[in-house]
Amino acid sequence: MAEVHSQTNGEVMVVYLGHNRIVDQAMIDEIARTLEKLLNKCEHGKMLINFEGVKFMGSAMLGKLITLNKHCKDAAVHLKLCSIDPQIMQVFKMTKLDKVFDVFDDEDRALAAFEKKGFFG
């Protein structure tokens, strides 16, 4: 069973994935369903997925993240990722997903990025 939990930090919904290996298809599907449910509860339009502790992730999970990213854009929810293991980050770079997602080294930096205002406020 997928151990995904969330908490609110200011206006940001922070989601934690409670597994070090995300490879089983049933687990990946359950995590994706949970992330979609959380997206629908994201009141302030800001979601951060913290990958701390995740050491291995199957390629099917990458597909689920891409789908989630599209759904976030459709729902006007800003999605950021943080604390991705260096080996998993290599996959993000090889597949150019580091250009698709806003990825931060740690939760504090990601949360701070949500607070930054653009040129027009």
Side-chain angles (χ1 to χ4, degrees), residues 17-81:
L17 308 177
H19 293 279
N20 62 356
R21 294 179 56 82
I22 302 174
V23 293
D24 176 68
Q25 189 61 49
M27 178 191 296
I28 290 169
D29 291 342
E30 185 176 341
I31 290 171
R33 281 191 299 274
T34 302
L35 290 173
E36 289 288 338
K37 287 178 188 172
L38 291 172
L39 168 62
N40 293 327
K41 296 178 182 177
C42 194
E43 295 177 26
H44 299 287
K46 299 174 183 177
M47 179 185 276
L48 171 63
I49 302 175
N50 188 325
F51 285 84
E52 187 172 5
V54 178
K55 299 297 180 197
F56 189 81
M57 188 168 64
S59 59
M61 188 64 206
L62 294 176
K64 298 293 186 181
L65 289 173
I66 291 167
T67 300
L68 177 69
N69 189 46
K70 181 187 180 317
H71 293 169
C72 284
K73 287 181 185 207
D74 292 346
V77 171
H78 299 283
L79 176 66
K80 297 186 187 309
L81 312 178

Side-chain angles (χ1 to χ4, degrees), residues 102-119:
D102 288 335
V103 181
F104 295 86
D105 291 339
D106 57 47
E107 187 173 314
D108 289 339
R109 290 179 190 195
L111 290 170
F114 277 113
E115 299 306 314
K116 290 185 179 177
K117 300 289 185 203
F119 184 73

Side-chain angles (χ1 to χ4, degrees), residues 2-8 13-19 34-35 38 48-50:
E3 296 175 16
V4 176
H5 68 277
S6 66
Q7 68 182 36
T8 303
M13 176 184 287
V14 183
V15 181
Y16 301 92
L17 308 177
H19 293 279
T34 302
L35 290 173
L38 291 172
L48 171 63
I49 302 175
N50 188 325

